[in-house]
Structures are given as C-alpha cells and as structure tokens.
C-alpha cells in the first residue's frame, strides 16, 4: 500500500511541499557554501594563477604572493612570503592578495554564522550569510581584476617575454587557479543571492492551524513547522482531488450532519 499523507486543505498541501523543497535547497546551499570556502582557500595559497607555455622564454609560474621562476636540477626555486609583504612582486599583486584574503575571511565568517541558527531566527541568519557571501564575491572580483595589473613586473617579463605588460600576458597562459578563482567568484554571488532568497521568501500558512504562532511567514521559519504540521493531520488524503473534495471550506454542510442515521 502506498504511503499517503493527510492535509487540511489544498493550501496546506502546497505549503507543506514548499517547506520540504526549501529544506532541500537549504541543505544544498550549506554544502555549496562549505565547498566555496575550501575553493577560495585553495585560490589564496596556490601559485598557479599564470605560468609558462611552450613559447615562453623559460619555466615559471606565478600566484598571488608566491612565484617560481627558476628551475635547477629539476626542482623549482620559489619566492614570496606572506609574513614579508614587501617580498611580493608588485603593488598589484599585493592588492590582489589582500582582497583574496578578505574573500576567504568572508566565506569563513559565513560558515561561523551557522552557529546563530541556535539562537536567532533562521531568516535573519540567511540574510547575514547572504550578505557575507556577496561581499566575498566582490572582494574576489577586485582581486581577479587587479592581478593582471602586475604583469609588467620584470620577473613576469623574464618568463613571459617582452610582450608581457599590464593586462598583457605575453607568451604565458592562464593556469587552473585563475580559472578556479573566476568560478569561485560567480559561485559566491549565486550562493549569496540564494541565501537572501531563502531569508526573504514568504509562504502563506493557514493561521487557523497555528493560532498565535509568531514564526509564520518566512520560508525557513515555516520549515521548522513541518513536524507540527505532520502531527496535526486529521484526515487521510492521497491526491489533490481528494484533498480538494475533503476541504471543509468547500461545503457549508459538515459531513457529521448526514441525513442517514442508524
């Protein structure tokens, strides 16, 4: 026998379906937010933003604050340290490093904000997380756009050729980390917009089912009522037709006042 759920009305049926859907979307958003923090961290620490190609003058690859341009005995010699900010190649690379670090910080703060679910309304928490993720996307976008302004540095020119200049890569090419940074930037904007949508979306719930409950309205708050909805199901209905036919608002005469009596 198929499992059937009971609903009070058609609106009750669709609001319950929306709550379950929003719960699934919220879980996907949480997993994607965790992946975004990991990806942004990789973008920050890797030195594979740009690098040599077959046409380059010599081997080398460059990241935000670390670069490897020499190869001796088959081993790359890398330079650049975060604790010595002056060791970075150019002010453009320094700016990109700062803004990428701020982007990583924004992603981590969005994850820490999950703790607020224990003491605050979920709608407000999603709004905070959404704003942090959008800010993280803005910071990463600034880093992506400022990084090419440092390609005129002599160390970059030594690998990429004299054609290398501001926003001119010369004979070098983009590496996987730069492309990953673009993906992370787009992902941050999408997740931020999704979080704001989850926090601001409103579902109309029948107030007669939950009189005096101040949690009604926001989509994520209504998700928390799913268990209560299920526990207060008085009538078994298997499909939308039976849901509509059993709606007490449809007829003025209740079924209990039947003309057939024993």
């Amino acid at each position: 026998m198929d499992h059937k759920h009971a609903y009070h009305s058609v609106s009750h049926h669709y609001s319950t379906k929306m709550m379950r859907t929003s719960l699934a979307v919220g879980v996907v958003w949480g997993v994607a937010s965790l992946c975004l923090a990991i990806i942004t961290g990789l973008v920050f620490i890797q030195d594979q933003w740009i690098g040599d190609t077959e046409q380059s003058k010599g081997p080398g690859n460059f990241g935000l604050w670390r670069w490897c341009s020499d190869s001796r005995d088959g081993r790359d010699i890398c330079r650049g340290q975060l604790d010595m900010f002056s060791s970075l190649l150019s002010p453009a690379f320094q700016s990109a490093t700062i803004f990428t670090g701020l982007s990583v910080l924004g992603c981590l703060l969005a994850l820490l904000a999950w703790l607020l679910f224990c003491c605050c309304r979920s709608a407000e928490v999603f709004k905070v997380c959404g704003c942090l993720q959008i800010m993280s996307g803005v910071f990463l976008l600034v880093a992506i756009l400022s990084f090419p302004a440092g390609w005129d540095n002599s160390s970059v020119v030594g690998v990429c050729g004299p054609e290398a200049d501001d926003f001119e890569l010369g004979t070098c090419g983009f590496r996987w980390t730069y492309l990953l940074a673009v993906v992370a930037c787009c992902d941050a904007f999408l997740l931020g917009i999704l979080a704001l949508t989850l926090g601001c979306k409103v579902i109309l719930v029948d107030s007669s089912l939950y009189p005096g409950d101040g949690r009604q309205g926001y989509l994520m708050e209504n998700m928390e009522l799913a268990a209560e909805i299920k526990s207060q199901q008085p009538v078994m209905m298997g499909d939308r037709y039976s849901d509509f036919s059993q709606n007490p608002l449809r007829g003025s005469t209740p079924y209990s006042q039947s003309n057939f009596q024993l």
Side-chain angles (χ1 to χ4, degrees):
M1 179 180 296
D2 295 333
H3 179 69
K4 297 181 179 180
H5 298 281
Y7 302 98
H8 292 273
S9 63
V10 174
S11 61
H12 183 199
H13 169 71
Y14 284 108
S15 63
T16 304
K17 289 182 63 178
M18 180 62 72
M19 292 173 196
R20 293 170 180 166
T21 302
S22 62
L23 177 59
V25 174
V27 172
V28 172
W29 171 85
V31 174
S33 298
L34 181 60
C35 294
L36 174 63
I38 296 174
I39 291 174
T40 310
L42 286 175
V43 168
F44 182 73
I45 64 176
Q46 288 293 324
D47 56 7
Q48 296 289 334
W49 280 58
I50 59 174
D52 62 273
T53 61
E54 295 180 355
Q55 292 78 29
S56 299
K57 295 174 60 177
N61 51 272
F62 300 86
L64 293 172
W65 51 272
R66 186 170 180 267
W67 74 99
C68 308
S69 57
D70 295 327
S71 179
R72 298 177 182 176
D73 300 328
R75 300 181 62 182
D76 292 337
I77 299 178
C78 300
R79 304 179 182 86
Q81 296 179 357
L82 276 178
D83 55 355
M84 296 180 59
F85 216 63
S86 60
S87 64
L88 274 66
L89 288 177
S90 66
F93 282 28
Q94 294 176 356
S95 175
T97 301
I98 292 174
F99 280 103
T100 305
L102 291 175
S103 178
V104 175
L105 180 61
C107 292
L108 294 178
L109 290 177
L111 296 181
L112 291 176
W114 291 1
L115 298 175
L116 297 177
F117 280 114
C118 301
C119 57
C120 301
R121 297 181 66 229
S122 57
E124 303 302 326
V125 177
F126 274 97
K127 291 177 183 178
V128 172
C129 292
C131 293
L132 287 173
Q133 289 177 329
I134 291 177
M135 290 176 59
S136 177
V138 172
F139 290 144
L140 193 54
L141 178 62
V142 173
I144 292 172
L145 295 178
S146 62
F147 182 74
W151 292 348
D152 60 343
N153 183 268
S154 59
S155 297
V156 179
V157 173
V159 175
C160 302
E163 299 86 0
D165 201 350
D166 292 344
F167 297 92
E168 293 290 339
L169 200 50
T171 58
C172 290
F174 294 106
R175 294 289 178 88
W176 63 272
T177 306
Y178 196 95
L179 302 179
L180 192 63
V182 175
V183 173
C185 179
C186 298
D187 193 22
F189 283 113
L190 291 176
L191 291 178
I193 294 173
L194 179 58
L196 292 177
T197 302
L198 290 173
C200 298
K201 184 67 176 179
V202 174
I203 298 177
L204 298 179
V205 180
D206 190 356
S207 59
S208 63
L209 299 178
Y210 310 99
D213 196 333
R215 296 179 296 167
Q216 299 179 38
Y218 287 105
L219 180 148
M220 297 307 300
E221 297 299 331
N222 284 325
M223 286 167 49
E224 299 170 359
L225 299 175
E228 302 175 26
I229 290 176
K230 189 174 182 181
S231 65
Q232 299 183 25
Q233 296 172 351
V235 184
M236 296 301 297
M237 303 177 186
D239 51 31
R240 283 182 287 183
Y241 173 76
S242 60
D243 186 18
F244 178 77
S245 63
Q246 297 293 336
N247 189 347
L249 301 178
R250 187 170 180 263
S252 60
T253 303
Y255 288 104
S256 61
Q257 298 178 358
S258 175
N259 294 326
F260 297 94
Q261 300 179 355
L262 296 178

